[in-house]
Amino acid sequence: MILESDERQALRRAVSDLAGKYGHDYYLRCTRAGEKTTELWQEAGRLGYLGVHVPEEYGGGGGGIGDLAAVCEELGAAGCPLLMMVVSPAICATVISRFGTPEQKQRWLPGLADGTKIFAFAITEPDAGSNSHKLTTTATRDGDGWLLTGRKTYISGIDEAEAVLVVGRTADERTGRLKPVLFVVPTDAPGFTAQHIPTELVAPEKQYNLFLDDVRLPGDALVGSADAGLLQLFAGLNPERIMASAFALGMARYALARAVEYAKTRDVWGQPIGAHQAISHPLAACHIEVELARLMTREAAHLYDSGDDQAAGEAANMAKYAAGEATVKTVDQAVQTHGGNGLATEYGLATLLVASRLGRIAPVSREMILNFVAQHSLGLPRSY
């Protein structure tokens, strides 16, 4: 079992106290007004929580992805899930920290660490789905720089990001074969267009289609090496899965806490409804599944922070699957526990019915995770 240090537990308490000042009502109020949770984001940044994993020489806390995942989970458990945490500090700052040049690190990491810079991440394409090998966004040399052309879909937070870490492909000069590369693309660059995708998700972060039409980039927009390929890409995808797990589990803990409190205080036929096994047993089962998923997430973060990328990849996928399943079941049971009140705005649960599905869909579907585990963990024939 991966036990958390006293420092990690203290971090959780501090973040919980911060998020408690805002709460789910603040989150929903901002969302329904079409506003961002800017005050919470900025305060979390000033206190060092958004950059807890960034190296100290670039303004961070020098911790690991496990620390950042703890921050993300506790914000969600207080009813304030911040989706851009999964993207900006977790994916973008991690990739730049591991593979960026010294100049790139100095330029971008301090702002990503304190929250004054927000980056989006763009890998998904309309025709590629979950198949990153079919990406068509292509970068070609243009003197000392690059021209980037392609499309991306379901990209979070473009309206609040100053740049996007875009996954594209470029031709290997030796073989001519396409290989993955990452570029930092400013959202105000000529040829960069974003189109909002309306969804039923009640959240301050919006989703976008991106259109890249010969976007001209300087040479130093290429993150790290053009030869790093998949190694560089998965340096961001494993933290993404770990953080997505933490994001989902925070939501599950929030819903479960609301359900337990309601079951303790809702008195029908002379006793609280939580005294009935039809209520208590499903909630107990949800608690077990959430805690098991938390352990798997902690294990994945430990492996990643230990430098074992291969084992971390397997564990991160398992954690993502477990967290997604536990969250959907827990939110559903929390609503059911409340009966008709589960749909009332006052109780703050109904909006989670859609939000909880994210854990099964993004950033990788549960079906693709099962494909991965079947092939890589069990050694079964490849199915895709």
Side-chain angles (χ1 to χ4, degrees), residues 60-358:
I65 199 67
D67 297 308
L68 189 67
V71 173
C72 183
E73 183 186 332
E74 294 305 322
L75 288 169
C80 299
L82 297 182
L83 180 59
M84 292 309 288
M85 274 200 70
V86 180
V87 180
S88 188
I91 303 173
C92 300
T94 298
V95 169
I96 292 169
S97 177
R98 285 190 62 174
F99 293 98
T101 65
E103 292 77 16
Q104 289 171 338
K105 294 177 184 180
Q106 191 60 58
R107 179 181 177 185
W108 291 315
L109 286 181
L112 292 172
D114 66 17
T116 56
K117 289 184 183 295
I118 298 178
F119 280 17
F121 178 69
I123 181 172
T124 310
E125 294 187 359
D127 298 323
S130 298
N131 188 353
S132 60
H133 298 287
K134 290 183 64 177
L135 297 181
T136 60
T137 297
T138 305
T140 56
R141 286 283 188 183
D142 180 49
D144 293 334
W146 301 87
L147 287 178
L148 188 64
T149 297
R151 290 181 60 192
K152 299 292 181 180
T153 191
Y154 284 103
I155 309 306
S156 303
I158 295 299
D159 56 333
E160 52 191 310
E162 69 174 71
V164 187
L165 186 61
V166 175
V167 181
R169 305 178 80 184
T170 188
D172 189 308
E173 295 178 357
R174 295 165 297 178
T175 66
R177 297 180 61 185
L178 293 176
K179 57 186 178 182
V181 288
L182 291 90
F183 292 92
V184 174
V185 182
T187 53
D188 61 357
F192 182 102
T193 306
Q195 179 187 68
H196 176 230
I197 304 173
T199 73
E200 294 301 318
L201 179 64
V202 179
E205 301 86 5
K206 295 181 172 63
Q207 302 299 312
Y208 291 86
N209 289 314
L210 300 186
F211 302 90
L212 306 164
D213 185 13
D214 282 341
V215 176
R216 192 176 302 276
L217 300 171
D220 63 359
L222 175 70
V223 175
S225 168
D227 298 318
L230 289 175
L231 174 65
Q232 190 166 271
L233 176 58
F234 282 102
L237 295 186
N238 284 338
E240 179 186 43
R241 283 150 174 69
I242 293 167
M243 289 293 289
S245 302
F247 181 86
L249 289 170
M251 190 186 310
R253 287 175 54 201
Y254 172 81
L256 183 59
R258 303 287 78 73
V260 169
E261 181 61 25
Y262 190 82
K264 288 178 178 178
T265 57
R266 174 66 168 163
D267 196 315
V268 181
W269 299 302
Q271 61 182 339
I273 61 173
H276 302 292
Q277 291 178 350
I279 299 295
S280 65
H281 281 189
L283 292 177
C286 287
H287 177 64
I288 291 169
E289 291 192 34
V290 167
E291 289 303 308
L292 289 172
R294 291 182 77 198
L295 284 173
M296 196 69 238
T297 302
R298 210 175 294 170
E299 170 74 3
H302 172 73
L303 290 168
Y304 184 84
D305 289 334
S306 300
D308 192 342
D309 286 341
Q310 183 172 355
E314 180 183 48
N317 275 286
M318 290 181 176
K320 167 67 173 53
Y321 179 90
E325 296 301 297
T327 300
V328 167
K329 292 177 183 178
T330 300
V331 168
D332 182 75
Q333 189 58 45
V335 171
Q336 190 69 23
T337 299
H338 281 72
N341 283 334
L343 303 179
T345 301
E346 174 187 355
Y347 290 86
L349 288 173
T351 57
L352 301 184
L353 287 170
V354 175
S356 65
R357 299 293 302 192
L358 279 175

Side-chain angles (χ1 to χ4, degrees), residues 14 17-19 21-22 26 37-50 75 82 113-115:
D17 289 343
L18 168 65
K21 296 194 314 182
Y22 293 87
Y26 161 82
T37 51
T38 304
E39 296 87 354
L40 174 56
W41 179 274
Q42 291 179 345
E43 187 167 1
R46 285 195 302 271
L47 293 171
Y49 300 148
L50 301 180
L75 288 169
L82 297 182
D114 66 17

